Structure formats: C-alpha cells, structure tokens
Amino acid sequence: MKKTAFVFSGQGAQYPGMGKELYECSPAAKAVFDMAEEIRPGTLKQCFEGTKEELSVTINTQPCVFITDLAAAAAVAEKGVRPDFVAGFSLGEIAAVAFAGVLSYEDAFKLVCKRAELMDKAANENPGAMAAVMKITPEKTEEICSRFKKAYPVNYNSPAQTVVAADVNEIDELCSMVKAEKGKAVKLAVSGAFHSPFMDSASEAMAEYLADKELKAPEIPVYANLTAEPYSDDIKKLISMQINHPVRWQKTVENMISQGAERFIEVGVGKTLTGLIKKINADVEAVNIENKEGLDALE
C-alpha cells in the first residue's frame, strides 16, 4: 500500500460555491458543515452562495475554507481512505490538526473564527501586501527582500516560487526589482501581509487564546508550517507562531516524501497544493478532492 498524506488547502483558494457538492453527496461532509452552521450561522450560505468579494474578507474566508477542507477530508475518510501523514498550508494546518484529533472539530472551528478575527485586526492596524515571486530562487528572493525595510519571504512554496510580504508602499518597487532580476512577480488579492512580522500582534493574541485550552497529542503525524517537521510537545507554540512566521511548504512535502509518502490528496478548496507538490517532486501522485467527481474517482 502506498503511504498517503492528506494536505489541507489555505486561504486564497476560496471560490463561490465551494463545498456544495460535498454537502449534497457525502453524509460525513454534511455533518461537518452542519456543525459549523450551528456555531456560526450563515457559514453555509457564504460557502455555497457567497460572492467572490464576500469570501475574500478574512473573517469570512478562514471559517469557510477551513470547514470545506475538513468536510472534504471527512468525505474521503468515509470512503475508507486514511492518511499516514497530514499537513496544511497556513490556515489549512488548523484543519490538519483537527483531523488528527488534537482538538474537537467544534473547538477547531471556534479557534479558526478567532484566528480570522485576530489576523483581520492585525491587517487593519498594520497594512501590508503580498506577491508571488517566480522564476528565481528562494535565495535570490531573500536577497531582494533584504533591500527593503519591511519585506519578508513568507511562503517557501516550491523551488521556483516564494511568496513575499511587504509594506503597501514597498510592494510595487519590490515587484519591479524581481522583474529586473529576470523573475516574475504577481501581487496577490489578500487583505494582509500574513506569516510576517505584520502579524505579530495576532500571533501574541492567539498564544493567549490557547493558553487555557486543552490539546491532545496527534493521532496521525502532523507536519508543522513553522518547522516542516512532525508536531512535538509544544503544539500551542506551533499554532500561534505559524501566524507570523514563514510557511515552509517545500520542505514539509520533501520531509513527508522522505518518510515514505507516495500519494498526496489535497482535501478542500482548489488545486494549488496539488500543483506545488508536482513542482516539488514530479514522481509522487498528487490529486485534489473538492467535489463529487473527485470523490467518485478516488480509489
């Protein structure tokens, strides 16, 4: 049997109608969505009928993407497919943690709602922007960022893609420098400079929120954004610090492959992680499950 990893999508992959087919075709997915609706009324309407603009607001994006990810994982598990490892990209890490039994689905959803609130507040207080940098190495991207007062590599996605965060007044010049170095830079439609010092206040507040929460040891190895290694004892630190530190996605995938992962199933919204995984290692299998067609094709 191939060792399988579930990878959970992050913020930015959202789209109108996400999760609706899963809700209609999978009892397990429906139960997850219904749980979220009870805690946060209006979540189903936002996922299934919300506009692109509505879903792009952080306080809406994070709960909606999280619950679609978790519902997709539940639907895949309902078909008898169980992962040997799990990891999530940014927000997706919280879904991975929940699926691995670190905290209940209800408590994880409440945590995500709080996380969204804290990150939205930090973004409003410390305006920043993000851009995907391609066709140059991560090392060159780091060097370009070092030329600015407030610019940081924040998502190490693949050998040829690094996302950066910067001050709103510096992002355009940074993109121009990338182009001058024969790279390509695309500004992202996000509402803050995530995984950077712009989010320090949100990280600190999340640590306070988690202080009195009871978290269990993972039932499945969970690879952390902060370290690209399986979760250790200090789970609260890993969850709070990933908010203002880089996502080491390439290293995470490489480490899971080194432990025998041959099949990656992206559970949740979109195909972003599937595409990145294929760029990191073209020899592994990578598929996404976000609708009935994907579920039906699953073996």
Side-chain angles (χ1 to χ4, degrees):
M1 286 288 289
K2 292 180 180 179
K3 283 193 174 182
T4 297
F6 281 10
V7 291
F8 294 76
S9 316
Q11 188 169 349
Q14 67 276 0
Y15 59 85
M18 61 185 181
K20 191 170 189 294
E21 285 192 23
L22 293 173
Y23 185 84
E24 293 170 346
C25 76
S26 165
K30 182 179 185 299
V32 173
F33 275 115
D34 287 344
M35 174 274 295
E37 181 66 17
E38 189 171 325
I39 294 171
R40 181 181 179 270
T43 299
L44 292 186
K45 186 175 177 63
Q46 285 182 343
C47 287
F48 303 161
E49 303 174 26
T51 64
K52 183 179 178 181
E53 291 71 26
E54 184 181 12
L55 287 169
S56 295
V57 179
T58 295
I59 55 172
N60 297 331
T61 314
Q62 293 199 20
C64 290
V65 170
F66 168 86
I67 210 61
T68 304
D69 284 1
L70 204 52
V76 174
E78 186 179 39
K79 291 198 66 172
V81 179
R82 294 282 175 174
D84 299 282
F85 320 98
V86 295
F89 191 98
S90 185
L91 164 68
E93 184 171 351
I94 312 303
V97 162
F99 189 81
V102 172
L103 66 174
S104 70
Y105 286 5
E106 290 84 356
D107 287 344
F109 187 65
K110 291 173 184 175
L111 187 157
V112 163
C113 291
K114 185 66 175 179
R115 183 181 187 271
E117 174 191 319
L118 295 174
M119 292 175 72
D120 185 61
K121 183 172 185 286
N124 288 326
E125 292 173 350
N126 306 291
M130 299 177 77
V133 176
M134 294 159 280
K135 298 184 178 181
I136 58 175
T137 65
E139 292 75 19
K140 173 55 73 173
T141 302
E142 290 170 347
E143 190 275 319
I144 293 171
C145 285
S146 71
R147 303 175 196 174
F148 296 86
K149 287 183 179 180
K150 292 183 177 182
Y152 314 93
V154 293
N155 300 342
Y156 290 85
N157 289 346
S158 75
Q161 185 186 108
T162 307
V163 172
V164 300
D167 187 278
V168 289
N169 297 314
E170 293 184 333
I171 194 71
D172 287 337
E173 186 180 353
L174 191 154
C175 290
S176 295
M177 284 193 178
V178 168
K179 291 171 186 173
E181 296 284 355
K182 309 301 183 186
K184 179 180 179 182
V186 179
K187 286 200 288 186
L188 303 181
V190 293
S191 56
F194 305 128
H195 299 289
S196 76
F198 285 83
M199 291 287 119
D200 284 351
S201 61
S203 177
E204 292 165 9
M206 178 53 71
E208 292 175 11
Y209 175 82
L210 288 169
D212 62 352
K213 300 293 186 289
E214 184 178 347
L215 305 183
K216 299 177 182 178
E219 297 166 5
I220 311 163
V222 180
Y223 281 73
N225 285 184
L226 186 70
T227 62
E229 300 287 346
Y231 266 48
S232 55
D233 294 335
D234 206 348
I235 297 173
K236 294 177 182 180
K237 179 180 177 182
L238 293 172
I239 291 174
S240 59
M241 289 186 67
Q242 64 111 276
I243 290 173
N244 66 336
H245 285 76
V247 175
R248 302 192 176 278
W249 187 249
Q250 179 183 342
K251 189 64 176 173
T252 295
V253 172
E254 290 172 345
N255 285 347
M256 285 192 284
I257 292 170
S258 75
Q259 293 303 307
E262 296 179 80
R263 176 171 68 162
F264 289 81
I265 300 177
E266 180 174 4
V267 284
V269 187
K271 303 177 182 178
T272 301
L273 302 184
T274 302
L276 291 176
I277 289 163
K278 288 177 178 177
K279 289 177 181 175
I280 293 167
N281 188 318
D283 294 330
V284 298
E285 180 185 351
V287 297
N288 73 301
I289 306 294
E290 59 179 330
N291 53 31
K292 187 177 186 301
E293 181 184 359
L295 269 180
D296 290 345
L298 192 63
E299 296 178 357

